[in-house]
Amino acid sequence: MTGRFRNWGMTTSTDTGIRQQRRLETAIPGPLSRELMTRKGAAVAAGVGTTMPVFAAAAGGGIVVDVDGNHLIDLGSGIAVTTVGASNPRVVAAVREQVEAFTHTCFMVTPYEGYVAVAESLNRLTPGDHDKRTALFNSGAEAVENAVKIARSHTGRHAVVVFDHAYHGRTNLTMAMTAKSMPYKHGFGPFASEVYRAPLSYPFRDGGLDGAEAARRALEVVEKQVGAANLAAMVIEPIQGEGGFIAPAPGFLPALAEWCRANGVVFVADEVQTGFARTGDWFACDHEGVVPDLIVTAKGIAGGLPLSAVTGRAEIMDAAHTGGLGGTYGGNPLACAAALAAIETIEQDGLVARAREIGALLTSRLRALADPRIGDVRGRGAMIAVELVRPGSLDPDPALAKAVAAAAHERGVIVLTCGTHGNVLRFLPPLTISDELLHDAMDVLAEALRA
Ligand code: PLZ
C-alpha cells in the first residue's frame, strides 16, 4: 500500500492529477479571481474575510490551483485540515463510495457503522489505554462546547479555566474561552459566564520561566480566583494554534494534568489544530506522555470533511444522560468515511514520521535565514512558526508579518499568520507535500523577507 501514495520526492503527483509544482499564469489575484471577489463583496457578508484574494478551482497534495490556473504551494492546509493532502485519493474514494450508499440518516435516528468505527479508532489512537468513549460533532467549536457540557455533567461544577492566547472557537461559549478580542469577540458579547483565564507558559516571552514554575503561576491564579472545588474543566491547547504556535515549556502540561487529577477537575486537551500527526506525534499530548481526561479533535481528522469529536474516560463521557449529546449532522456518514480513510492514510503512509521530517526541514531553513527580525523559530513537526519582532527586542512586528505573507502570496505560496499580536508566520503544510515544494516555498519566503 505504501508505494502508491508515498511520493514526497517527486514533482508530479499521479495521485490527484495535480502537478506538484508552483506555477504562476497571471498576477495574483488573476482576472477571474478579481471577478469572483467582486461577486463575493456583493453577495457574502462582510464579516467573512479571506486570507488571499484568489478563488480555488482544484487542489491536490500540496498544491491549490486557482481559477486563473495559478498553482500555489499550500503551507496552510486550509488551517491544518488537509493533513493527508488535498483531495487525498483514499479519502476521495471512501467518500465517493459512501455518497452512493447514503448521504444521511442521522445517527440519532438510524445509526450506521461508520460512526462507531470512527469512535473505535479514536478510542484506540488517543493518549492513554483506559476505557474510552467518543461522541462526534461537526466543528471544533461544537466539540469544545460538548467537552465542557460533559465535564460539567460529570463534576456537577460550573467553572472552566482557559489560558492566555487561547483559541477555542466562535460560538458563544467558545468566544468566551477564546482570548483575543479583535476579530473573534469584538462587539459580539455578552459572553458565557464562568470562564476564567490563567497565564500560559510562553518561553519566548516569559523570561525563561520553566514549565514547573509557569504551572505554579497558573495554578495559583486558578486556586485563588476560581477555587478547585468550583472547577469543572481546565481546557488547553497543548501547542496553541491561532494564539501563535506557542509550545509551553517542558513540564507545564504534565503539572497541570496532575493538579487536575488531584483536584477532580476534568483536564481537556483541545487538539483541534495539533491532532492527527500534525506535531510529529499522533497527538501533541503524546510528546510528554500527558493523558488528558477528554481530548477534542477536528480539522485533520477527516481529510477536509467537517467532523469533530470528544473522546475520553468512559466514566466521564457517560456522565451525560442519554439524549443529552448529539446534533442533526454530528458524525455525518460522508465525514466518517473520510475520517476512516484519513486515519488509514496516516497509519499506512507513515505520516507521523513525515511530520517530524517536515519540522526538521522547515526549522533548519528558517534558522538559516538568521534574520534579526525573526525573534523565535518554534513549533513541532509540521506545525512551525516564526515570531517577528523589531530587531534586538521583543516588540511584536505585525506589519512585517502581514507584508511578508502578502509578498509570499503574490509569489504563489499560501502562508497564514497568527498570534495575539498578529506577528507570527505559521507553516502547516499537508504531510504529503514533497521536500521540493517545501524548499521552493522557503526560497520564496526568504525572498519575501528581503522584499
Ligand atoms: N480549537 C485549537 O484551532 C480552529 C479558526 C479559524 P472550528 N482554528 C481555526 C477561524 O478564524 O475561524 C480551532 C482551533 C482550536 C478550536 C477551533 C475551532 O474549530 O472547526 O473552526 O469550529
Side-chain angles (χ1 to χ4, degrees), residues 79 139-141 144 167-170 184 237 242 270 272-273 299:
I79 323 190
S139 67
V144 170
Y167 184 90
H168 297 293
R170 293 177 183 263
Y184 306 122
E237 299 154 83
E242 307 305 306
D270 178 347
V272 167
Q273 191 151 162
K299 291 186 185 279

Side-chain angles (χ1 to χ4, degrees), residues 107-172:
F107 190 75
M108 301 183 305
V109 179
T110 49
Y112 36 86
E113 185 184 356
Y115 187 119
V116 178
V118 171
E120 288 166 347
S121 294
L122 285 167
N123 295 347
R124 171 173 62 87
L125 292 166
T126 51
D129 45 22
H130 48 276
D131 195 19
K132 294 176 203 154
R133 297 289 184 274
T134 287
L136 300 181
F137 305 97
N138 302 290
S139 67
E142 193 188 358
V144 170
E145 289 230 8
N146 276 278
V148 171
K149 281 163 66 171
I150 292 163
R152 285 176 170 161
S153 183
H154 171 71
T155 57
R157 306 171 183 173
H158 294 156
V160 177
V161 160
V162 291
F163 288 81
D164 285 336
H165 311 287
Y167 184 90
H168 297 293
R170 293 177 183 263
T171 58
N172 188 262

Side-chain angles (χ1 to χ4, degrees), residues 47 165-167 169-170 175 178-188 191 242-243 417-423:
H165 311 287
Y167 184 90
R170 293 177 183 263
M175 267 196 296
T178 290
K180 192 172 172 175
S181 173
M182 190 57 108
Y184 306 122
K185 305 164 74 164
H186 177 77
F188 298 148
F191 305 111
E242 307 305 306
T417 59
C418 63
T420 295
H421 303 289
N423 64 323

Side-chain angles (χ1 to χ4, degrees), residues 120-451:
E120 288 166 347
S121 294
L122 285 167
N123 295 347
R124 171 173 62 87
L125 292 166
T126 51
D129 45 22
H130 48 276
D131 195 19
K132 294 176 203 154
R133 297 289 184 274
T134 287
L136 300 181
F137 305 97
N138 302 290
S139 67
E142 193 188 358
V144 170
E145 289 230 8
N146 276 278
V148 171
K149 281 163 66 171
I150 292 163
R152 285 176 170 161
S153 183
H154 171 71
T155 57
R157 306 171 183 173
H158 294 156
V160 177
V161 160
V162 291
F163 288 81
D164 285 336
H165 311 287
Y167 184 90
H168 297 293
R170 293 177 183 263
T171 58
N172 188 262
L173 174 59
T174 57
M175 267 196 296
M177 296 170 70
T178 290
K180 192 172 172 175
S181 173
M182 190 57 108
Y184 306 122
K185 305 164 74 164
H186 177 77
F188 298 148
F191 305 111
S193 61
E194 288 301 314
V195 176
Y196 301 89
R197 198 168 304 283
L200 186 74
S201 162
Y202 190 163
F204 179 59
R205 291 190 177 275
D206 60 16
L209 214 56
D210 72 26
E213 286 163 350
R216 261 197 302 280
R217 179 178 66 174
L219 292 171
E220 193 177 308
V221 170
V222 174
E223 285 177 343
K224 295 286 182 295
Q225 298 184 19
V226 189
N230 302 306
L231 188 56
M234 177 180 284
V235 184
I236 189 164
E237 299 154 83
I239 297 178
Q240 283 192 334
E242 307 305 306
F245 281 26
I246 306 165
F252 182 70
L253 293 171
L256 297 181
E258 198 185 304
W259 181 88
C260 284
R261 198 163 310 120
N263 289 280
V265 174
V266 178
F267 184 72
V268 183
D270 178 347
E271 293 234 22
V272 167
Q273 191 151 162
T274 51
F276 291 94
R278 174 57 53 193
T279 65
D281 285 290
W282 263 98
F283 297 95
C285 278
D286 293 330
H287 184 68
E288 287 188 272
V290 170
V291 178
D293 298 313
L294 302 181
I295 182 167
V296 180
T297 53
K299 291 186 185 279
I301 190 176
L305 275 86
L307 186 70
S308 64
V310 182
T311 300
R313 296 186 189 280
E315 66 276 17
I316 299 176
M317 290 297 296
D318 285 341
H321 50 278
T322 300
L325 304 176
T328 306
Y329 295 110
N332 169 269
L334 303 178
C336 286
L340 294 171
I343 290 167
E344 183 188 326
T345 300
I346 295 170
E347 288 188 311
Q348 301 214 357
D349 293 1
L351 294 186
V352 175
R354 177 60 185 157
R356 293 184 184 209
E357 286 174 19
I358 290 172
L361 186 156
L362 292 180
T363 306
S364 77
R365 286 295 310 262
L366 293 165
R367 294 230 158 96
L369 291 173
D371 189 313
R373 297 168 298 174
I374 296 182
D376 196 18
V377 178
R378 60 173 179 253
R380 281 205 307 270
M383 184 171 182
I384 300 293
V386 294
E387 178 158 357
L388 301 176
V389 292
R390 300 212 166 69
S393 77
L394 292 181
D395 295 347
D397 195 345
L400 178 63
K402 207 171 159 195
V404 173
H409 296 163
E410 272 167 30
R411 289 162 173 78
V413 178
I414 302 173
V415 179
L416 308 176
T417 59
C418 63
T420 295
H421 303 289
N423 64 323
V424 178
L425 294 168
R426 58 169 154 175
F427 310 106
L428 291 160
L431 305 182
T432 53
I433 198 169
S434 68
D435 284 356
E436 217 165 34
L437 280 186
L438 289 174
H439 280 299
D440 186 26
M442 287 298 109
D443 291 342
V444 166
L445 191 82
E447 208 181 295
L449 264 163
R450 280 193 301 273

Side-chain angles (χ1 to χ4, degrees), residues 89-102 305 334 337-338:
R90 278 200 191 90
V91 172
V92 171
V95 171
R96 193 170 277 151
E97 194 178 318
Q98 179 59 46
V99 82
E100 279 166 7
F102 60 96
L305 275 86
L334 303 178

